[in-house]
Amino acid sequence: LPAPRGMGSFTVWDYVVFAAMLLVSAIIGVYYAFVGGGQKTSKDFLMAGRSMSALPVALSLTASFMSAVTVLGTPAEIYRYGAIFCIFAITYGLVVLCSAEIFLPVFYKLGITSTYEYLELRFNKYLRLCGTVLFIIQTTLYTGIVIYAPALALNQVTGFDLWGAVVATGVVCTFYCTLGGLKAVVWTDVFQVGIMVAGFSSVIIRAVVVQEGIERIINDSYYGGRLNFWDFNPDPLQRHTFWTIVIGGTFTWTSIYGVNQSQVQRYISCKSRFHAKLSLYINLVGLWAILACAVLCGLALYSIYKDCDPWSAKQVSALDQLMPYLVLDILHDFPGVPGLFVASAYSGTLSTVSSSINALAAVTVEDLIKPYFRSLSEKKLSWISMGMSLFYGGICIAMAALASLLGALLQAALSIFGMVGGPLLGLFALGILCSFANGIGAFVGLVSGFVISLWVGIGSQIYPPLPEKTKPLYLSTAGCNISLGNLTSTENPLTTVFSTATAERPALADNWYSLSYLYFSTLGTLITVTVGIIISLLTGGLKQNTDCKFLLTKEDFLSNFSWSKSETKQEVLNWKPFTMADEGTDNPAFSHIEMDVADSKNKVNGLHM
């Protein structure tokens, strides 16, 4: 199919578009380094001085969630396994609801910078250290892969310079994180979401033009079995069904949205709790939009390549190279547009990495430096925060270099560390929802959840589930008129090391290890909570008095609906003492000067909800 027409390759214009995207990101960083007197305190640097409004934060949350893995991976996922991935729309709704109504109120009223600070306030400092260390390991692994994987995919298809791109994105990212702090991260994310949507739209619009209408794309997908929305099979071993996605997906993503520092840090930087919640709900719309774009791209991919699958025909060596392949195939007559797509993939990388760098800096400063060096002045702390951003930026580039050597091993390590999310979510849930949970129970719960998650996780890496569980759909190469190319393929070294014949698969492999990957987190969370509750009750958890500000209370929920003046007054009075006393954050949203404004505002907000 593509050979006679000659696949496009990268032109000067494409590089220009890409460079422009990097340049704008860098300029935003410089702007926030100097505007408003720069970053005076570590709180300005790490929390944007708690002054952000809902819209930019919402877009920023959407952007950092959307890495290049989403831009390249989700359409390929839909091409291979069908549009059942759409059910994630329901999952996202549930995740945002849980985050906004359970975790956000507690984190926001405590005025913390690092989510792991909560673990010390509620349990003890050892649990805080556990959480911090796990987070740092997981995030550095993750950023390495996020920088390297898309660079590799784009390089193999478009010949876009691999190390040039990796180093350029890494350096620019570190540059604006170090100079501009969280404000720069949020505003560059807003710009990058725009680029991502533009990149997706250009592909969708062109694909619809090439296929002469969207009806044909939908029709092809329907007859190719790609519109498999309704699969209510309750089997937990099957990779994607309605239940695995709604239940498993909700746990998996809540562990990212509800308690992961990179996300929490941003909605806590909002100027009031109303803005914080609003940012999560607006971000939901963003997630749906991105999901819709990705699904349309996936269906367009199938419609265009239904008779000649480039992956089976060895035109591309991995599924995540399909999108760049499609772009060069259908957009090669438009100078600069393939560059826009590459820019959109890298915007995904940039936004994810920048939020990771900022979160890592925040966690290091708050959890590892502040508690042990109490004499540091704010000025010094803000310099240390900048130094940390620089340091972690370097580490991320180094991890990307490591990923090029040990790509698949790192991937495996990440999926194993991805299982950390489940038990950690369980730990926070214990703290916020169970007043009687104590440090011992929480610790034992965390360890047991962790052990079981690792057991399943490592097992599933060694014995990957068989195709009858993952259900890949049929791909055809009947219409191909090209000699089969020879691209190097990337295999998972763990599977090659343990490449055992089916006969040798142990009994556990086909029931326990084949658990749908979405249930790993669910398993970790439920075990942590259950064990935590039992141990807490056995070790006298009911005797302890837990301060209700560390728990989710009725007031947290009801204050969504507070219209009358007296309630608002009361709420502010309740809040004042401890935001002042022990956290030392004077939350600007509740200063006396703004009281009257706040009252009239709350009325309006109340009515509009």
Side-chain angles (χ1 to χ4, degrees):
L1 177 116
R5 272 191 289 169
M7 286 289 278
S9 63
F10 257 52
T11 61
V12 180
W13 285 110
D14 298 323
Y15 281 106
V16 169
V17 171
F18 179 67
M21 186 269 298
L22 287 180
L23 191 67
V24 173
S25 300
I27 290 171
I28 295 177
V30 175
Y31 174 74
Y32 280 106
F34 299 112
V35 75
Q39 315 287 334
K40 289 195 194 65
T41 64
S42 64
K43 193 158 230 69
D44 276 343
F45 185 80
L46 299 172
M47 309 259 299
R50 287 193 98 162
S51 61
M52 302 301 294
S53 50
L55 190 67
V57 172
L59 289 171
S60 168
L61 287 168
T62 308
S64 56
F65 158 89
M66 278 270 319
S67 64
V69 178
T70 324
V71 178
L72 302 174
T74 311
E77 154 80 33
I78 283 154
Y79 177 75
R80 189 86 185 87
Y81 297 99
I84 190 162
F85 201 81
C86 285
I87 306 290
F88 269 102
I90 302 174
T91 304
Y92 294 156
L94 293 172
V95 166
V96 165
L97 207 68
C98 290
S99 305
E101 302 305 333
I102 297 175
F103 296 103
L104 185 145
V106 178
F107 291 148
Y108 197 90
K109 73 182 171 191
L110 290 175
I112 50 187
T113 303
S114 151
T115 39
Y116 305 104
E117 220 170 315
Y118 172 79
L119 294 178
E120 180 174 354
L121 293 170
R122 174 72 175 80
F123 298 118
N124 54 40
K125 62 172 183 288
Y126 306 109
L127 275 172
R128 175 180 185 176
L129 211 60
C130 281
T132 306
V133 171
L134 287 177
F135 172 75
I136 290 177
I137 296 174
Q138 183 187 1
T139 310
T140 40
L141 277 173
Y142 178 58
T143 35
I145 291 173
V146 155
I147 296 176
Y148 181 72
L152 183 68
L154 291 163
N155 164 267
Q156 291 210 335
V157 179
T158 60
F160 195 81
D161 190 314
L162 179 65
W163 287 108
V166 168
V167 174
T169 42
V171 168
V172 167
C173 204
T174 310
F175 175 75
Y176 70 74
C177 287
T178 307
L179 278 181
L182 189 65
K183 277 198 180 109
V185 172
V186 169
W187 284 104
T188 45
D189 283 356
V190 172
F191 162 67
Q192 285 152 3
V193 161
I195 297 279
M196 277 188 265
V197 171
F200 264 144
S201 320
S202 63
V203 178
I204 295 171
I205 293 167
R206 179 68 184 142
V208 168
V209 172
V210 168
Q211 293 298 79
E212 292 150 8
I214 198 147
E215 299 83 23
R216 186 163 151 202
I217 293 181
I218 303 292
N219 208 17
D220 287 344
S221 308
Y222 178 71
Y223 287 114
R226 290 298 185 271
L227 300 183
N228 51 352
F229 295 117
W230 303 117
D231 182 350
F232 286 99
N233 183 357
D235 178 14
L237 305 182
Q238 192 182 319
R239 185 166 174 273
H240 281 167
T241 67
F242 181 85
W243 304 113
T244 53
I245 291 178
V246 169
I247 299 168
T250 301
F251 277 94
T252 308
W253 284 115
T254 306
S255 70
I256 291 174
Y257 260 73
V259 300
N260 188 319
Q261 177 68 25
S262 328
Q263 301 285 25
V264 175
Q265 189 173 349
R266 254 159 316 162
Y267 54 69
I268 286 183
S269 72
C270 289
K271 56 189 169 199
S272 69
R273 203 185 69 171
F274 176 75
H275 273 270
K277 283 194 173 177
L278 192 61
S279 74
L280 273 170
Y281 289 120
I282 298 174
N283 149 57
L284 179 59
V285 179
L287 292 183
W288 283 338
I290 297 287
L291 185 66
C293 286
V295 170
L296 277 171
C297 278
L299 297 179
L301 257 176
Y302 177 71
S303 173
I304 290 175
Y305 293 130
K306 62 178 183 298
D307 297 328
C308 173
D309 163 43
W311 183 55
S312 316
K314 299 276 183 290
Q315 287 291 302
V316 295
S317 63
L319 282 167
D320 58 359
Q321 298 172 7
L322 281 170
M323 275 300 277
Y325 184 84
L326 173 78
V327 167
L328 282 190
D329 193 11
I330 64 178
L331 289 165
H332 58 94
D333 299 337
F334 300 85
V337 180
L340 179 68
F341 177 75
V342 169
S344 80
Y346 277 110
S347 309
T349 302
L350 273 175
S351 57
T352 308
V353 173
S354 63
S355 51
S356 298
I357 289 178
N358 199 275
L360 284 165
V363 163
T364 312
V365 170
E366 287 294 320
D367 296 339
L368 302 178
I369 294 175
K370 254 189 186 170
Y372 303 107
F373 303 95
R374 292 180 180 273
S375 58
L376 292 168
S377 66
E378 271 299 339
K379 192 82 191 140
K380 278 211 185 92
L381 275 174
S382 77
W383 282 107
I384 292 175
S385 309
M386 287 186 183
M388 279 297 140
S389 291
L390 197 59
F391 168 71
Y392 280 117
I395 287 216
C396 291
I397 300 178
M399 288 303 281
L402 195 66
S404 69
L405 301 170
L406 311 167
L409 260 178
L410 223 62
Q411 197 76 50
L414 178 71
S415 32
I416 290 167
F417 259 99
M419 292 148 206
V420 180
L424 271 181
L425 176 66
L427 186 59
F428 280 100
L430 268 177
I432 288 174
L433 301 173
C434 309
S435 56
F436 50 80
N438 61 13
I440 306 169
F443 183 72
V444 177
L446 180 68
V447 171
S448 47
F450 200 45
V451 166
I452 293 204
S453 297
L454 282 184
W455 177 26
V456 185
I458 295 173
S460 72
Q461 286 289 319
I462 296 174
Y463 304 102
L466 300 170
E468 52 263 31
K469 293 294 174 217
T470 55
K471 302 235 162 137
L473 300 173
Y474 176 71
L475 298 166
S476 142
T477 50
C480 290
N481 55 352
I482 36 180
S483 59
L484 298 183
N486 51 349
L487 272 168
T488 52
S489 75
T490 47
E491 282 293 314
N492 183 343
L494 286 183
T495 37
T496 34
V497 175
F498 304 100
S499 56
T500 42
T502 324
E504 290 177 52
R505 284 170 76 90
L508 274 176
D510 288 329
N511 41 51
W512 177 235
Y513 295 155
S514 298
L515 193 65
S516 165
Y517 73 99
L518 287 168
Y519 276 138
F520 291 167
S521 273
T522 316
L523 192 70
T525 305
L526 295 178
I527 285 176
T528 303
V529 171
T530 321
V531 173
I533 287 178
I534 293 168
I535 303 281
S536 293
L537 291 176
L538 292 179
T539 54
L542 290 171
K543 293 195 194 68
Q544 67 174 1
N545 280 330
T546 313
D547 193 326
C548 66
K549 70 182 180 213
F550 301 139
L551 302 168
L552 186 67
T553 54
K554 287 202 300 289
E555 285 72 36
D556 285 325
F557 180 68
L558 294 174
S559 61
N560 287 337
F561 313 106
S562 63
W563 286 312
S564 64
K565 237 177 189 159
S566 58
E567 272 182 71
T568 325
K569 273 274 194 295
Q570 186 150 7
E571 195 181 343
V572 175
L573 291 177
N574 284 348
W575 278 37
K576 206 64 184 170
F578 57 76
T579 30
M580 288 295 284
D582 48 37
E583 275 73 30
T585 53
D586 188 358
N587 192 333
F590 299 101
S591 60
H592 293 297
I593 312 154
E594 286 184 14
M595 270 304 298
D596 309 345
V597 191
D599 278 345
S600 52
K601 236 195 228 151
N602 270 10
K603 269 217 198 73
V604 177
N605 293 347
L607 296 174
H608 275 286
M609 278 183 72

